[in-house]
Coordinates of all heavy atoms in Angstrom, one line a residue:
M52 N -44.8 27.7 197.0 CA -45.7 27.1 198.0 C -45.5 27.8 199.3 O -44.4 28.1 199.8 CB -45.4 25.6 198.2 CG -46.2 25.0 199.3 SD -46.5 23.2 199.3 CE -45.0 22.5 199.3
L53 N -46.6 28.1 200.0 CA -46.6 28.9 201.2 C -46.7 28.0 202.4 O -47.5 27.1 202.5 CB -47.9 29.8 201.2 CG -48.0 30.7 202.5 CD1 -46.9 31.8 202.6 CD2 -49.4 31.3 202.5
K54 N -45.8 28.2 203.4 CA -45.9 27.5 204.6 C -45.2 28.4 205.7 O -44.0 28.5 205.8 CB -45.1 26.2 204.6 CG -45.3 25.3 205.8 CD -44.6 24.0 205.6 CE -44.9 23.1 206.9 NZ -44.3 21.8 206.8
L55 N -46.1 29.1 206.5 CA -45.7 30.0 207.5 C -46.1 29.4 208.8 O -47.2 28.9 209.0 CB -46.3 31.3 207.4 CG -46.1 32.1 206.0 CD1 -47.0 33.3 206.0 CD2 -44.6 32.5 205.9
K56 N -45.2 29.4 209.8 CA -45.5 28.8 211.1 C -44.8 29.7 212.2 O -43.6 30.0 212.1 CB -45.1 27.4 211.2 CG -45.6 26.7 212.4 CD -45.3 25.2 212.4 CE -46.5 24.5 211.7 NZ -46.4 23.0 211.8
Q57 N -45.6 30.0 213.2 CA -45.0 30.7 214.3 C -45.3 29.9 215.6 O -46.5 29.6 215.9 CB -45.6 32.1 214.5 CG -45.0 32.9 215.6 CD -45.7 34.2 215.9 OE1 -46.9 34.3 216.0 NE2 -44.9 35.3 216.0
Y58 N -44.3 29.6 216.4 CA -44.4 29.0 217.7 C -44.2 30.1 218.7 O -43.1 30.7 218.7 CB -43.3 27.9 217.8 CG -43.4 26.7 216.9 CD1 -42.8 26.8 215.7 CD2 -44.1 25.6 217.3 CE1 -42.9 25.7 214.8 CE2 -44.2 24.5 216.4 CZ -43.5 24.6 215.2 OH -43.6 23.5 214.4
R59 N -45.2 30.3 219.5 CA -45.1 31.4 220.5 C -44.8 30.9 221.9 O -45.1 29.8 222.2 CB -46.5 32.1 220.4 CG -46.7 32.7 219.1 CD -48.0 33.4 218.9 NE -48.8 33.8 220.0 CZ -49.8 34.6 220.0 NH1 -50.1 35.3 218.9 NH2 -50.5 34.9 221.0
E60 N -44.3 31.8 222.7 CA -43.9 31.5 224.1 C -45.2 31.1 224.9 O -45.1 30.4 225.9 CB -43.2 32.7 224.7 CG -41.8 32.8 224.1 CD -41.0 34.0 224.8 OE1 -41.5 34.4 225.9 OE2 -40.0 34.4 224.3
D61 N -46.4 31.6 224.5 CA -47.6 31.3 225.2 C -48.2 30.0 224.9 O -49.3 29.7 225.3 CB -48.6 32.5 225.1 CG -49.0 32.7 223.6 OD1 -48.6 31.9 222.7 OD2 -49.7 33.7 223.4
G62 N -47.5 29.2 224.1 CA -47.9 27.9 223.7 C -48.8 27.8 222.5 O -49.2 26.7 222.0
V63 N -49.1 28.9 221.9 CA -49.9 29.0 220.6 C -49.0 28.7 219.4 O -47.9 29.3 219.3 CB -50.6 30.3 220.5 CG1 -51.4 30.5 219.2 CG2 -51.6 30.5 221.7
I64 N -49.6 28.0 218.5 CA -48.9 27.8 217.2 C -49.9 28.3 216.1 O -51.1 28.0 216.1 CB -48.6 26.3 216.9 CG1 -47.7 25.7 217.9 CG2 -47.9 26.2 215.5 CD1 -47.5 24.2 217.8
I65 N -49.4 29.2 215.2 CA -50.2 29.7 214.2 C -49.5 29.3 212.9 O -48.3 29.5 212.6 CB -50.2 31.3 214.2 CG1 -50.9 31.7 215.6 CG2 -51.0 31.8 213.0 CD1 -50.8 33.2 215.9
S66 N -50.3 28.6 212.0 CA -49.7 28.0 210.8 C -50.6 28.4 209.6 O -51.8 28.2 209.7 CB -49.7 26.5 211.0 OG -49.2 25.9 209.8
T67 N -50.0 28.9 208.6 CA -50.7 29.2 207.3 C -50.0 28.4 206.2 O -48.8 28.5 206.0 CB -50.6 30.7 207.0 OG1 -51.2 31.4 208.1 CG2 -51.4 31.0 205.8
V68 N -50.8 27.6 205.5 CA -50.3 26.7 204.5 C -51.1 26.7 203.2 O -52.3 27.1 203.2 CB -50.2 25.2 205.0 CG1 -49.2 25.1 206.2 CG2 -51.6 24.7 205.5
Y69 N -50.5 26.2 202.2 CA -51.1 26.0 200.9 C -51.6 24.6 200.9 O -50.9 23.7 201.0 CB -50.1 26.3 199.8 CG -50.6 26.1 198.4 CD1 -51.7 26.9 197.9 CD2 -50.0 25.2 197.5 CE1 -52.2 26.7 196.6 CE2 -50.5 25.1 196.2 CZ -51.5 25.8 195.8 OH -52.0 25.7 194.5
V70 N -53.0 24.4 200.7 CA -53.6 23.1 200.8 C -54.5 22.9 199.6 O -55.7 22.7 199.8 CB -54.3 22.8 202.1 CG1 -53.3 22.7 203.3 CG2 -55.3 24.0 202.4
P71 N -54.1 22.9 198.4 CA -55.0 22.8 197.2 C -55.7 21.5 197.2 O -56.8 21.5 196.6 CB -54.1 23.0 196.0 CG -52.7 22.5 196.5 CD -52.7 22.9 198.0
F72 N -55.2 20.5 197.7 CA -55.8 19.1 197.7 C -57.0 19.0 198.7 O -57.7 18.1 198.6 CB -54.8 18.0 197.9 CG -54.0 18.2 199.2 CD1 -54.5 17.6 200.3 CD2 -52.9 18.9 199.2 CE1 -53.8 17.7 201.5 CE2 -52.2 19.1 200.4 CZ -52.6 18.5 201.5
M73 N -57.0 19.9 199.7 CA -58.1 19.9 200.7 C -58.6 21.3 200.9 O -58.7 21.7 202.0 CB -57.5 19.3 202.0 CG -57.2 17.8 201.9 SD -56.4 17.2 203.4 CE -57.6 17.5 204.6
A74 N -58.9 21.9 199.8 CA -59.3 23.4 199.9 C -60.7 23.6 200.3 O -61.6 24.1 199.6 CB -59.0 24.0 198.5
W75 N -61.0 23.2 201.6 CA -62.4 23.4 202.1 C -62.7 24.8 202.3 O -63.9 25.2 202.1 CB -62.5 22.7 203.4 CG -62.4 21.2 203.3 CD1 -62.7 20.4 202.3 CD2 -61.9 20.3 204.3 NE1 -62.4 19.1 202.6 CE2 -61.9 19.0 203.8 CE3 -61.4 20.5 205.6 CZ2 -61.5 17.9 204.5 CZ3 -60.9 19.4 206.3 CH2 -61.0 18.1 205.8
Y76 N -61.7 25.7 202.7 CA -62.0 27.1 202.9 C -61.2 28.0 202.0 O -61.1 29.2 202.2 CB -61.7 27.4 204.4 CG -62.3 26.5 205.4 CD1 -61.7 25.5 206.0 CD2 -63.7 26.6 205.6 CE1 -62.3 24.6 206.9 CE2 -64.4 25.7 206.4 CZ -63.7 24.7 207.1 OH -64.3 23.9 207.9
G77 N -60.6 27.4 201.0 CA -59.7 28.1 200.0 C -58.4 27.3 199.9 O -58.1 26.5 200.8
P78 N -57.6 27.6 198.9 CA -56.4 26.8 198.8 C -55.3 27.2 199.8 O -54.3 26.5 199.9 CB -55.9 27.2 197.4 CG -56.6 28.4 197.0 CD -57.9 28.4 197.8
Y79 N -55.6 28.2 200.6 CA -54.7 28.6 201.7 C -55.5 28.7 202.9 O -56.6 29.2 202.9 CB -54.0 30.0 201.4 CG -53.2 30.1 200.2 CD1 -53.8 30.4 199.0 CD2 -51.8 29.9 200.2 CE1 -53.1 30.5 197.8 CE2 -51.1 30.0 199.0 CZ -51.7 30.3 197.8 OH -51.0 30.4 196.7
E80 N -54.9 28.3 204.1 CA -55.7 28.3 205.3 C -54.8 28.6 206.5 O -53.6 28.2 206.5 CB -56.3 26.9 205.6 CG -57.4 26.6 204.7 CD -58.0 25.2 205.0 OE1 -57.5 24.5 205.9 OE2 -58.9 24.8 204.2
T81 N -55.3 29.4 207.5 CA -54.6 29.6 208.7 C -55.2 28.8 209.8 O -56.4 28.9 210.0 CB -54.6 31.1 209.1 OG1 -53.9 31.9 208.1 CG2 -53.9 31.4 210.5
G82 N -54.4 28.0 210.5 CA -54.8 27.2 211.6 C -54.2 27.6 212.9 O -53.0 28.1 212.8
I83 N -54.9 27.5 214.0 CA -54.3 27.9 215.3 C -54.5 26.7 216.2 O -55.5 26.1 216.3 CB -55.1 29.1 215.8 CG1 -54.9 30.3 214.8 CG2 -54.6 29.5 217.2 CD1 -55.7 31.5 215.1
S84 N -53.4 26.4 217.0 CA -53.4 25.4 218.0 C -53.0 26.0 219.3 O -52.1 26.8 219.4 CB -52.4 24.3 217.6 OG -52.3 23.4 218.7
F85 N -53.8 25.7 220.3 CA -53.5 26.1 221.7 C -52.8 25.1 222.6 O -52.5 25.3 223.7 CB -54.8 26.5 222.4 CG -55.5 27.7 221.7 CD1 -56.6 27.4 220.9 CD2 -55.1 29.0 221.8 CE1 -57.3 28.5 220.2 CE2 -55.7 30.0 221.2 CZ -56.8 29.8 220.4
N86 N -52.5 23.9 222.0 CA -51.9 22.8 222.8 C -50.8 22.1 222.0 O -50.8 20.9 221.9 CB -53.0 21.8 223.2 CG -53.8 21.3 222.1 OD1 -53.5 21.5 220.9 ND2 -54.8 20.5 222.4
N87 N -49.9 22.9 221.5 CA -48.7 22.5 220.8 C -49.0 21.5 219.6 O -48.3 20.6 219.4 CB -47.7 21.8 221.8 CG -47.2 22.8 222.8 OD1 -46.8 23.9 222.4 ND2 -47.2 22.5 224.1
G88 N -50.0 21.8 218.9 CA -50.3 21.1 217.7 C -51.1 19.8 217.8 O -51.4 19.1 216.8
E89 N -51.6 19.5 219.0 CA -52.5 18.4 219.1 C -53.8 18.5 218.5 O -54.4 17.6 217.9 CB -52.7 18.0 220.6 CG -51.4 17.5 221.2 CD -51.6 17.0 222.7 OE1 -52.7 16.5 223.0 OE2 -50.7 17.2 223.5
N90 N -54.4 19.7 218.6 CA -55.7 20.1 218.0 C -55.5 21.4 217.2 O -54.9 22.3 217.7 CB -56.8 20.2 219.0 CG -57.0 19.0 219.8 OD1 -56.4 18.8 220.9 ND2 -57.9 18.1 219.4
W91 N -56.2 21.5 216.1 CA -56.1 22.7 215.3 C -57.5 23.2 215.0 O -58.5 22.5 214.9 CB -55.5 22.4 213.9 CG -54.0 22.1 214.1 CD1 -53.4 20.9 214.3 CD2 -53.0 23.1 214.1 NE1 -52.1 21.1 214.4 CE2 -51.8 22.4 214.3 CE3 -53.0 24.4 213.9 CZ2 -50.6 23.1 214.3 CZ3 -51.8 25.1 213.9 CH2 -50.6 24.4 214.1
H92 N -57.6 24.6 215.0 CA -58.8 25.3 214.6 C -58.5 26.1 213.4 O -57.5 26.8 213.4 CB -59.2 26.2 215.8 CG -59.4 25.6 217.1 ND1 -60.5 24.8 217.4 CD2 -58.5 25.5 218.1 CE1 -60.3 24.3 218.6 NE2 -59.1 24.7 219.1
I93 N -59.3 26.0 212.4 CA -59.1 26.8 211.2 C -59.7 28.2 211.4 O -60.9 28.4 211.7 CB -59.8 26.2 209.9 CG1 -59.3 24.8 209.8 CG2 -59.5 27.0 208.7 CD1 -57.8 24.6 209.6
A94 N -58.9 29.2 211.3 CA -59.3 30.6 211.6 C -59.8 31.3 210.3 O -60.8 32.0 210.4 CB -58.2 31.4 212.1
E95 N -59.2 31.0 209.2 CA -59.6 31.7 207.9 C -59.0 31.0 206.7 O -57.9 30.3 206.8 CB -59.0 33.1 208.0 CG -59.5 34.0 206.9 CD -59.2 35.5 207.2 OE1 -58.6 35.8 208.3 OE2 -59.4 36.3 206.3
G96 N -59.7 31.0 205.6 CA -59.3 30.5 204.3 C -59.1 31.7 203.4 O -59.7 32.7 203.5
Y97 N -58.2 31.5 202.4 CA -57.9 32.5 201.4 C -57.8 31.9 200.0 O -57.5 30.8 199.9 CB -56.5 33.2 201.8 CG -56.3 33.4 203.2 CD1 -55.7 32.4 204.0 CD2 -56.7 34.6 203.9 CE1 -55.4 32.6 205.4 CE2 -56.5 34.8 205.2 CZ -55.9 33.8 206.0 OH -55.6 34.0 207.3
N98 N -58.0 32.8 199.1 CA -57.9 32.4 197.7 C -56.6 32.6 197.0 O -56.3 32.2 195.9 CB -59.0 33.0 196.8 CG -60.4 32.4 197.2 OD1 -60.5 31.2 197.4 ND2 -61.4 33.3 197.3
D99 N -55.7 33.4 197.7 CA -54.4 33.7 197.1 C -53.3 33.9 198.1 O -53.6 34.1 199.3 CB -54.5 35.0 196.2 CG -54.9 36.2 196.9 OD1 -54.0 36.8 197.7 OD2 -56.0 36.7 196.8
H100 N -52.1 33.8 197.7 CA -50.9 33.9 198.5 C -50.8 35.2 199.3 O -50.5 35.2 200.5 CB -49.7 33.7 197.6 CG -48.4 33.6 198.3 ND1 -47.7 34.8 198.7 CD2 -47.6 32.6 198.7 CE1 -46.6 34.4 199.3 NE2 -46.5 33.1 199.3
N101 N -51.0 36.3 198.6 CA -50.9 37.6 199.2 C -51.9 37.7 200.4 O -51.4 38.1 201.5 CB -51.1 38.7 198.2 CG -50.9 40.1 198.8 OD1 -49.8 40.3 199.4 ND2 -51.8 41.0 198.7
N102 N -53.1 37.4 200.3 CA -54.1 37.5 201.4 C -53.8 36.5 202.5 O -54.0 36.8 203.6 CB -55.5 37.3 200.9 CG -56.0 38.5 200.1 OD1 -55.7 39.6 200.4 ND2 -56.9 38.3 199.1
A103 N -53.2 35.4 202.1 CA -52.8 34.4 203.1 C -51.7 34.9 204.0 O -51.7 34.8 205.2 CB -52.4 33.1 202.5
T104 N -50.7 35.6 203.4 CA -49.6 36.2 204.1 C -50.1 37.3 205.1 O -49.7 37.4 206.2 CB -48.5 36.7 203.2 OG1 -48.1 35.6 202.3 CG2 -47.4 37.3 203.9
I105 N -51.0 38.1 204.6 CA -51.6 39.2 205.4 C -52.4 38.6 206.5 O -52.3 39.1 207.7 CB -52.4 40.1 204.5 CG1 -51.5 40.9 203.5 CG2 -53.2 41.1 205.4 CD1 -52.3 41.6 202.4
G106 N -53.2 37.6 206.2 CA -54.0 37.0 207.3 C -53.1 36.4 208.4 O -53.4 36.5 209.6
H107 N -52.0 35.7 208.0 CA -51.1 35.1 208.9 C -50.5 36.1 209.9 O -50.5 35.9 211.1 CB -50.0 34.3 208.2 CG -49.0 33.7 209.1 ND1 -49.3 32.4 209.7 CD2 -47.8 34.1 209.6 CE1 -48.2 32.1 210.4 NE2 -47.3 33.1 210.4
E108 N -50.1 37.2 209.3 CA -49.5 38.3 210.1 C -50.5 38.9 211.1 O -50.2 39.2 212.2 CB -48.9 39.4 209.2 CG -47.7 38.9 208.5 CD -47.2 39.9 207.4 OE1 -47.8 41.0 207.3 OE2 -46.3 39.5 206.7
K109 N -51.8 39.0 210.6 CA -52.9 39.5 211.5 C -53.1 38.6 212.7 O -53.1 39.1 213.8 CB -54.2 39.5 210.7 CG -55.4 39.9 211.5 CD -56.7 39.9 210.7 CE -57.1 38.5 210.3 NZ -58.4 38.4 209.6
Y110 N -53.1 37.3 212.5 CA -53.3 36.4 213.7 C -52.1 36.3 214.6 O -52.2 36.2 215.8 CB -53.7 35.0 213.2 CG -55.0 35.0 212.6 CD1 -55.2 34.9 211.2 CD2 -56.2 35.1 213.3 CE1 -56.5 34.9 210.6 CE2 -57.4 35.2 212.8 CZ -57.6 35.0 211.4 OH -58.9 35.1 210.9
C111 N -50.9 36.4 214.0 CA -49.7 36.5 214.8 C -49.6 37.7 215.7 O -49.0 37.7 216.8 CB -48.4 36.4 213.9 SG -48.1 34.8 213.1
A112 N -50.2 38.8 215.3 CA -50.2 40.0 216.1 C -51.2 40.0 217.2 O -51.2 40.9 218.1 CB -50.5 41.2 215.2
M113 N -52.1 39.0 217.2 CA -53.2 38.9 218.3 C -52.6 38.3 219.5 O -51.8 37.4 219.5 CB -54.4 38.1 217.8 CG -55.2 38.8 216.7 SD -56.6 37.7 216.3 CE -57.4 38.7 215.1
S114 N -53.2 38.7 220.7 CA -52.8 38.1 221.9 C -53.5 36.7 222.0 O -54.4 36.4 221.3 CB -53.3 39.0 223.1 OG -54.7 38.9 223.2
K115 N -53.1 35.9 223.0 CA -53.7 34.6 223.2 C -55.1 34.7 223.5 O -56.0 34.0 223.0 CB -52.9 33.8 224.3 CG -53.4 32.4 224.5 CD -52.6 31.6 225.5 CE -53.1 30.2 225.6 NZ -52.3 29.4 226.5
Q116 N -55.5 35.7 224.3 CA -56.9 35.9 224.7 C -57.7 36.3 223.5 O -58.8 35.8 223.3 CB -57.0 37.0 225.8 CG -58.4 37.2 226.2 CD -58.5 38.2 227.4 OE1 -57.5 38.8 227.8 NE2 -59.7 38.5 227.8
E117 N -57.2 37.1 222.6 CA -57.9 37.5 221.4 C -58.1 36.3 220.5 O -59.2 36.1 220.0 CB -57.2 38.6 220.6 CG -57.2 39.9 221.3 CD -56.3 40.9 220.6 OE1 -55.1 40.6 220.2 OE2 -56.7 42.1 220.4
L118 N -57.1 35.4 220.4 CA -57.2 34.2 219.6 C -58.2 33.3 220.2 O -59.0 32.7 219.5 CB -55.9 33.6 219.5 CG -54.8 34.3 218.7 CD1 -53.4 33.7 218.8 CD2 -55.2 34.4 217.2
E119 N -58.2 33.1 221.5 CA -59.2 32.2 222.2 C -60.6 32.7 222.0 O -61.5 31.8 222.1 CB -58.8 32.1 223.6 CG -57.6 31.3 223.9 CD -57.1 31.3 225.4 OE1 -57.4 32.3 226.1 OE2 -56.4 30.4 225.7
N120 N -60.8 33.9 221.8 CA -62.2 34.5 221.7 C -62.7 34.5 220.2 O -63.8 34.9 220.0 CB -62.3 35.9 222.2 CG -62.2 35.9 223.8 OD1 -62.7 35.0 224.4 ND2 -61.5 36.9 224.3
L121 N -61.9 34.0 219.3 CA -62.3 34.0 217.9 C -63.4 32.9 217.7 O -63.4 31.9 218.4 CB -61.1 33.6 217.0 CG -60.0 34.7 216.8 CD1 -58.9 34.1 216.0 CD2 -60.6 35.9 216.1
T122 N -64.2 33.1 216.7 CA -65.1 32.1 216.2 C -64.4 31.4 215.0 O -64.2 32.1 214.0 CB -66.5 32.7 215.8 OG1 -67.0 33.4 216.9 CG2 -67.4 31.6 215.3
F123 N -64.1 30.2 215.1 CA -63.4 29.5 214.1 C -64.3 28.9 213.1 O -65.4 28.5 213.4 CB -62.5 28.4 214.7 CG -61.4 28.9 215.6 CD1 -61.5 28.9 217.0 CD2 -60.3 29.5 215.1 CE1 -60.6 29.4 217.8 CE2 -59.3 30.0 215.9 CZ -59.4 30.0 217.2
I124 N -63.8 28.7 211.8 CA -64.6 28.2 210.8 C -64.5 26.7 210.7 O -65.3 26.0 210.0 CB -64.3 28.9 209.4 CG1 -62.9 28.6 209.0 CG2 -64.7 30.3 209.5 CD1 -62.5 29.2 207.6
G125 N -63.5 26.1 211.3 CA -63.3 24.7 211.2 C -62.5 24.2 212.3 O -61.9 24.8 213.1

């Protein structure tokens, strides 16, 4: 089971989890919170563990400004 979470100094939390019971965007999803987990935005869904890991790393490498300028899917 995949569960990756990064708490950043700029207050952003990036979380990628396996959610087969609520697979609206795929069984794996990356969510981003700008307010310590009070609200979440779904950035991307994936169909497999490998792509979810790659996607998580991609979002972790982005600046807060880049993340804030994303168009979220959920």
